[in-house]
């Protein structure tokens, strides 16, 4: 018997080659593991997915958290887009419906985000691609992987917040994966303090939320004297408080999350600044063709030789051409984090090596931007364009 599809029918296969045929369901992508032997052109694939509670009668091996299922089968039994491209033997022919339907409004697109239903990232995905099917993923890495393995079409992931600063994990993942930035979306984040019905503010000892959300509400939470507990996402915190019927703990999450998980809102707009904005990146397997018909932004990452004034020289390639920088971030170069010691450093490594992430206001279709990057290439030890995409000029 087919399981009920509640939302995000991402795991909807004709049959999983497990004991029960014709199964379907919905769920969060946990990880995607092509069966080991696929390198030898074995046609068996395996994915790990976690399904929503009401679908847990679907066959497969249950993981210890009681929700993750391992699904295994012949690649021909899985829809094309659930199977990694590298294990496809033949490209799938385009169908005429794909030509006639537009994806410009986001419909037909499946968009991965990190978190569970009600997370700000889900709303950002829906703002970026209205009418899309937003697909929950447990971790940021999983969302990157889901796009790479053709399980979804896009990912929308947070990169920086006006109060909390950069989301370093996603900077690192941008380099580790080969996805392209195809857009940005800014989302006004308005936090609520919520708890189970009947629980009052004075009953609370602790509050659960995403670390960024806790940081964005620092003043309110300190004033209330609440112990902070970090979890994977804000909506996950609300779900946990509701599911365990906690009486001493609240959650910081969105108004939508309170509605979904049936929590009572104790305080609204508790972020330290009313203008609390998170910028999200839209990621895809292919880059978009940059234009000059509207404001564009380009994101790059580069590394430099150590030496006096080298970073100054790198930034000058933009200043010389009147190109405005909107963001600069540095991250340790993980494979080679420390430069070897020299004679004067008493045997201790002396320098850290860094990667510099820069966003600048120009399109890669613009000759001026191409010249700037040509100039930077002359002395950068590494340079990659992460994407050239339209600036989000929408009202928040
Ligand atoms: O936890 C969520 O709801 C998220 O979407 C994640 C996230 C983040 O990673 O910054 C997104 C927006 C807010 O800044 C707080 C949390």
């Amino acid at each position: 018997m087919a399981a009920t599809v509640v939302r995000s029918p991402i795991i909807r296969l004709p049959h999983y080659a497990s004991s029960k045929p014709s199964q379907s369901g919905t769920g969060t992508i946990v990880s995607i593991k092509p069966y080991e032997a696929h390198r030898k052109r074995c046609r068996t694939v395996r994915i790990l997915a976690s399904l929503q509670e009401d679908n847990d009668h679907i066959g497969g091996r249950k993981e210890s958290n009681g929700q993750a299922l391992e699904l295994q089968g012949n690649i021909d039994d899985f829809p094309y887009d659930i199977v990694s491209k590298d294990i496809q033997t033949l490209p799938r022919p385009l169908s005429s419906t794909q030509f006639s339907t537009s994806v410009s409004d986001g419909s037909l697109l499946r968009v991965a985000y990190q978190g569970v239903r009600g997370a700000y990232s889900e709303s950002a995905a829906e703002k970026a691609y209205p009418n899309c099917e937003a697909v929950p993923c447990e971790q940021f890495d999983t969302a990157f992987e889901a796009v790479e393995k053709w399980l979804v079409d896009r990912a929308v992931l947070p990169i920086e917040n006006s109060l909390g600063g950069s989301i370093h994990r996603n900077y690192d993942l941008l380099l580790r994966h080969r996805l392209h930035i195809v857009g940005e979306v800014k989302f006004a984040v308005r936090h609520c303090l919520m708890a189970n019905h009947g629980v009052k503010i004075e009953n609370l000892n602790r509050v659960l939320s995403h670390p960024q959300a806790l940081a964005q509400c620092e003043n309110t939470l300190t004033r209330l004297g609440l112990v902070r507990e970090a979890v994977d996402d804000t909506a996950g915190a609300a779900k946990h408080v509701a599911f365990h019927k906690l009486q001493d703990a609240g959650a910081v999450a969105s108004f939508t999350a309170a509605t979904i998980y049936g929590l009572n809102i104790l305080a609204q707009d508790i972020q330290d600044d009313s203008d609390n904005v998170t910028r999200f990146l839209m990621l895809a397997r292919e880059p978009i063709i940059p234009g000059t018909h509207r404001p564009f932004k380009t994101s790059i990452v580069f590394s430099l030789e150590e030496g006096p004034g080298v970073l100054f020289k790198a930034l000058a390639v933009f200043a010389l051409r009147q190109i405005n920088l909107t963001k600069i971030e540095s991250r340790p170069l993980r494979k080679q984090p420390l430069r070897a010691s020299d004679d004067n450093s008493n045997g201790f490594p002396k320098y850290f090596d860094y990667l510099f992430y820069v966003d600048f206001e120009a399109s890669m279709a613009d000759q001026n931007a191409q010249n700037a990057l040509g100039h930077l290439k002359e002395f950068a030890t590494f340079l990659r364009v992460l994407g050239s995409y339209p600036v989000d000029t929408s009202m928040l």
Side-chain angles (χ1 to χ4, degrees):
M1 191 181 74
T4 341
V5 175
V6 180
R7 204 187 136 81
S8 302
I10 52 167
I11 313 298
R12 194 166 46 193
L13 311 176
H15 35 117
Y16 293 140
S18 68
S19 53
K20 299 176 189 172
S22 305
Q23 291 155 334
S24 64
T26 73
T28 306
I29 303 166
V30 181
S31 69
I32 301 135
K33 298 179 187 164
Y35 190 55
E36 271 205 348
H38 85 261
R39 284 180 217 99
K40 295 176 214 143
R41 282 260 167 254
C42 170
R43 297 178 63 78
T44 305
V45 292
R46 193 165 62 182
I47 64 165
L48 197 61
S50 100
L51 300 182
Q52 288 174 0
E53 292 78 16
D54 45 354
N55 289 325
D56 66 9
H57 57 285
I58 290 175
R61 184 168 69 77
K62 279 200 172 194
E63 292 289 304
S64 52
N65 69 7
Q67 287 186 32
L69 295 173
E70 194 175 282
L71 311 167
Q72 184 173 312
N74 187 291
I75 60 168
D76 295 335
D77 295 337
F78 287 75
Y80 171 81
D81 50 2
I82 212 162
V83 182
S84 159
K85 199 183 176 196
D86 58 338
I87 52 177
Q88 292 287 330
T89 41
L90 286 171
R92 187 202 206 193
L94 285 172
S95 74
S96 53
T97 51
Q98 282 167 288
F99 291 113
S100 59
T101 42
S102 159
V103 291
S104 59
D105 67 346
S107 55
L108 292 188
L109 282 187
R110 291 193 302 176
V111 182
Y113 68 92
Q114 187 270 330
V116 297
R117 282 199 61 213
Y120 294 104
S121 299
E122 182 189 39
S123 306
E126 284 164 355
K127 181 177 177 192
Y129 298 104
N131 308 316
C132 73
E133 182 191 340
V135 178
C137 292
E138 262 197 0
Q139 303 296 337
F140 291 137
D141 317 43
T142 327
F144 272 88
E145 242 190 290
V147 182
E148 282 171 341
K149 308 263 188 215
W150 294 68
L151 192 53
V152 295
D153 306 292
R154 305 275 189 278
V156 170
L157 297 172
I159 195 74
E160 59 174 324
N161 172 266
S162 56
L163 291 173
S166 296
I167 289 126
H168 293 136
R169 177 85 187 134
N170 281 335
Y171 274 102
D172 296 342
L173 289 171
L174 276 174
L175 198 68
R176 206 170 307 160
H177 294 266
R178 295 222 58 102
L179 297 184
H180 301 267
I181 306 175
V182 295
E184 63 170 6
V185 61
K186 291 183 181 142
F187 190 80
V189 173
R190 301 178 63 181
H191 293 301
C192 302
L193 177 63
M194 57 194 71
N196 282 300
H197 288 274
V199 176
K200 301 201 173 71
I201 286 201
E202 48 275 27
N203 303 135
L204 298 180
N205 294 320
R206 54 200 179 104
V207 64
L208 281 63
S209 199
H210 186 280
Q212 273 278 342
L214 294 171
Q216 292 159 21
C217 303
E218 181 69 30
N219 296 344
T220 313
L221 301 180
T222 303
R223 185 164 43 77
L224 295 173
L226 297 176
V227 173
R228 281 77 141 170
E229 288 182 19
V231 294
D232 280 346
D233 69 285
T234 56
K239 188 176 178 183
H240 183 88
V241 168
F243 189 77
H244 295 281
K245 300 186 172 59
L246 300 181
Q247 300 298 304
D248 68 329
V252 170
S254 65
F255 186 92
T256 314
T259 313
I260 294 173
Y261 302 109
L263 294 178
N264 182 32
I265 293 180
L266 298 170
Q268 260 178 312
D269 273 330
I270 60 163
Q271 63 279 357
D272 292 350
D273 189 328
S274 55
D275 295 326
N276 183 29
V277 176
T278 300
R279 180 174 159 248
F280 292 79
L281 296 179
M282 294 142 76
L283 303 171
R285 286 180 293 274
E286 302 295 335
I288 54 162
I289 298 170
T292 47
H293 56 292
R294 55 180 286 190
F296 262 65
K297 201 184 251 187
T298 301
S299 298
I300 58 167
V301 51
F302 59 89
S303 57
L304 298 167
E305 275 297 337
E306 173 63 30
V310 187
L311 180 59
F312 176 82
K313 213 170 130 190
L315 300 183
V317 307
F318 301 103
L320 283 171
R321 295 172 177 86
Q322 310 295 321
I323 298 175
N324 189 37
L325 305 186
T326 55
K327 177 90 203 284
I328 176 160
E329 180 70 42
S330 64
R331 297 289 300 145
L333 192 57
R334 289 202 170 186
K335 280 203 177 132
Q336 191 189 322
L338 294 175
R339 192 167 282 266
S341 59
D342 63 16
D343 289 346
N344 304 322
S345 59
N346 305 324
F348 292 108
K350 200 174 172 194
Y351 304 118
F352 287 89
D353 269 341
Y354 288 104
L355 284 161
F356 298 98
Y357 290 81
V358 166
D359 292 349
F360 60 86
E361 278 178 334
S363 163
M364 279 311 292
D366 183 340
Q367 187 63 50
N368 206 24
Q370 292 172 20
N371 292 345
L373 293 197
H375 191 173
L376 181 58
K377 252 190 194 164
E378 287 172 15
F379 53 92
T381 47
F382 160 80
L383 171 66
R384 187 168 131 197
V385 177
L386 296 168
S388 194
Y389 49 92
V391 174
D392 179 11
T393 51
S394 66
M395 296 294 285
L396 290 168

